[in-house]
């Protein structure tokens, strides 16, 4: 039957699953702090960092795991990482100030992305590693170092446009970094500034899910390291960037079924599955399917630390042996910059159901106390169901699946939380809460605005006492990774 619900259930790690099981706690938070509300689980990011470190250990590699701060604005995740075996990647002056203020020391901070003069100055002044976007930035940095008599900063060269032995460029276009073809002039520049800059290595960041592209880039970086050495530098770190990905969905079968039903709907072979017949990149042209599905591969069996493991285990195309082995044999440190993957399972976004408007035909319209800028899953092409948390505990009658469209609180036709029809296990009612799970990576606060003077979500950090007990919360800005509530009466280790 083609009206059967098409669920896309979120993948939930034990912490997030337990939190969603504490519906009265989450309702109380929304009652107190309003809708929308972002809930962060700082313990999880430490566990994710440990997962990356265990892959380093398996490949006998040293180096750093830099959390790409831009994935999430909260203070609690970054503060929690100060006490983990992790570092932080900052992409703006504000993020650098946050990282320093959280307690990260310079040896555990790296600046990436394009940099303005103040950002570059504070980077150099505080002695963090600068991942340089190009020659202009290196010149500016060297000038700052000389003018203000700053210590010689560690710099990495961000490279792009790697090639295989053939003429075809296999890595995608990027506006960031310097083409490997221009490495020669970049090394000339470094030679001129030998006294002001300390080149510690090279790297890339590719916004792709393709392991082949990354393997080619990694191999290209190994060759660039040789070029640095031949100029008399002692490079020691290779940075493979971020982009390790997250699996958002619990069940591969639901994803496969959904995408084939979506195709059928676009072809007119079943009732529409989206608002206004939106096709997520697909459309029908005279009975033929055109376009390509522009969605995040929401079911990803290999993501996060496992993706890094697979990359390092992959044999190099020209150099033969596994990439991890090549790094090890060269005694290079491995730098990674995971954003989304470290934020995996680290939070959820709650919204109150304000109105449920039933229609004669088709899905009900459900208006939420949030707008499309507050939960940007759709912007990232991530299709995953929210979890319904009934206000009354869900005790009214047997569950009856309901098809709904989720509308935002802006007076704007386009303000849809998602353009697809969402199937919920029961009809929502005003006062219920919808929980969007796993939003901490880019989908929580990246695009939040004050459009129409609607509130921006507050953020809270939660933890479970003793790991299993009562849920506790504090405002995100009140969170520190210490458990003390008064003077510490510690004899100071004198036993
Ligand atoms: C955004 C970004 C990252 C993080 O990417 P993810 O896909 O979130 O892992 C890492 N490095 C750089 C330079 C970035 O711009």
């Amino acid at each position: 039957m083609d009206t059967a619900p098409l669920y896309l259930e979120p993948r939930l790690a034990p912490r997030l699953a337990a939190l969603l099981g504490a519906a009265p706690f989450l309702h109380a938070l929304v009652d107190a702090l309003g809708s929308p509300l972002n809930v962060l689980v700082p313990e999880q990011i430490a566990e994710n960092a440990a997962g990356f470190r265990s892959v380093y250990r398996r490949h006998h590699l040293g180096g750093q795991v830099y959390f790409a701060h831009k994935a999430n604005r909260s203070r609690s995740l970054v503060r929690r990482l100060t006490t983990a075996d992790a570092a932080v990647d900052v992409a703006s002056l504000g993020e650098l100030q946050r990282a320093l203020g959280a307690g990260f020391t310079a040896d555990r901070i790296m600046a990436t992305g394009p940099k303005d003069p103040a950002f570059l100055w504070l980077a150099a002044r505080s002695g963090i590693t600068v991942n340089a976007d190009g020659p202009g930035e290196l010149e500016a940095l060297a000038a700052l170092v000389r003018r203000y008599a700053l210590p010689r900063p560690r710099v990495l060269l961000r490279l792009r446009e790697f090639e295989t032995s053939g003429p075809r460029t296999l890595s995608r276009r990027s506006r960031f970094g310097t083409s490997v073809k221009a490495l020669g002039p970049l090394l000339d520049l470094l030679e001129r500034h030998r006294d002001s800059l300390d080149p510690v290595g090279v790297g890339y960041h590719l916004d792709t899910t393709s392991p082949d592209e990354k393997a080619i880039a990694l191999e290209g970086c190994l060759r660039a390291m040789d070029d640095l050495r031949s100029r008399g530098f002692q490079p020691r770190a290779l940075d493979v960037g971020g982009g390790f990905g997250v699996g958002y969905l619990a069940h591969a079968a639901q994803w496969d079924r959904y995408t084939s039903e979506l195709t059928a709907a676009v072809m007119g072979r079943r009732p529409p599955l989206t608002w206004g017949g939106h096709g997520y990149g697909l459309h029908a042209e005279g009975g033929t399917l055109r376009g390509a599905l522009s969605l995040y591969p929401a079911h990803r069996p290999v993501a996060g630390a496992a993706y890094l493991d697979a990359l390092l285990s992959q044999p190099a195309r020209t150099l033969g042996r596994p990439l991890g082995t090549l790094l090890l044999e060269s005694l290079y440190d491995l730098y990674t910059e995971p954003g989304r993957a470290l934020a995996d399972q680290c939070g959820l976004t709650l919204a109150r159901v304000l109105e449920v408007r039933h229609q004669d035909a088709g899905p009900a319209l459900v208006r939420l106390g949030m707008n499309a800028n507050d939960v940007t899953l759709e912007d990232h092409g991530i299709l995953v169901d929210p979890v319904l948390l009934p206000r009354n505990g869900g005790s009214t009658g047997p569950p009856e699946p309901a098809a709904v469209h989720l509308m935002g609180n802006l007076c704007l036709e386009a303000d849809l939380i998602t353009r697809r029809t969402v199937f919920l296990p029961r009809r929502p009612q005003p006062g219920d809460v919808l929980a969007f799970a796993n939003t901490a990576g880019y989908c929580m606060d990246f695009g939040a605005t004050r459009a129409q003077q609607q509130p921006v979500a507050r953020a809270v950090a939660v933890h479970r006492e003793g790991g299993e007990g009562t849920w506790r919360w504090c405002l995100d800005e009140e969170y520190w990774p210490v458990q003390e509530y008064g003077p510490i009466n510690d004899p100071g280790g004198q036993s």
Side-chain angles (χ1 to χ4, degrees), residues 10 28 44 57 61 74 140 163 169 190 196 225 248 252 257 276 333 365 434 494:
Q44 186 66 42
R57 272 198 301 284
L61 294 170
S74 77
E163 291 181 346
T169 299
L190 287 174
S196 317
M225 293 289 268
Y248 286 93
R257 178 154 169 252
D333 278 343
L365 304 186
L434 284 187
Q494 305 147 18

Side-chain angles (χ1 to χ4, degrees), residues 257-335:
R257 178 154 169 252
Y258 184 85
T259 47
S260 53
E261 290 294 315
L262 179 67
T263 307
V266 168
M267 295 297 290
R269 290 200 299 259
R270 61 150 292 151
L273 278 172
T274 56
W275 182 260
H278 181 71
Y280 289 109
L282 299 175
H283 64 278
E285 226 175 76
T288 311
L289 188 69
R290 301 264 186 220
L293 208 56
S294 56
L295 290 173
Y296 190 86
H299 186 270
R300 290 186 68 169
V302 180
Y307 184 105
L308 175 65
D309 195 15
L311 177 67
L312 294 173
S313 307
Q314 192 161 323
R317 292 197 178 208
T318 55
L319 304 168
R321 274 152 322 128
L323 292 163
T325 308
L326 294 173
L327 284 170
L328 176 65
E329 287 175 356
S330 309
L331 303 178
Y332 291 150
D333 278 343
L334 174 68
Y335 288 0

Side-chain angles (χ1 to χ4, degrees), residues 68 70 89 112 158 205 242-244 337-340 442:
K70 80 166 189 276
D89 155 16
T112 62
R158 178 163 173 186
H205 167 70
F244 303 98
E337 305 164 0
R340 190 188 296 277
Y442 301 105

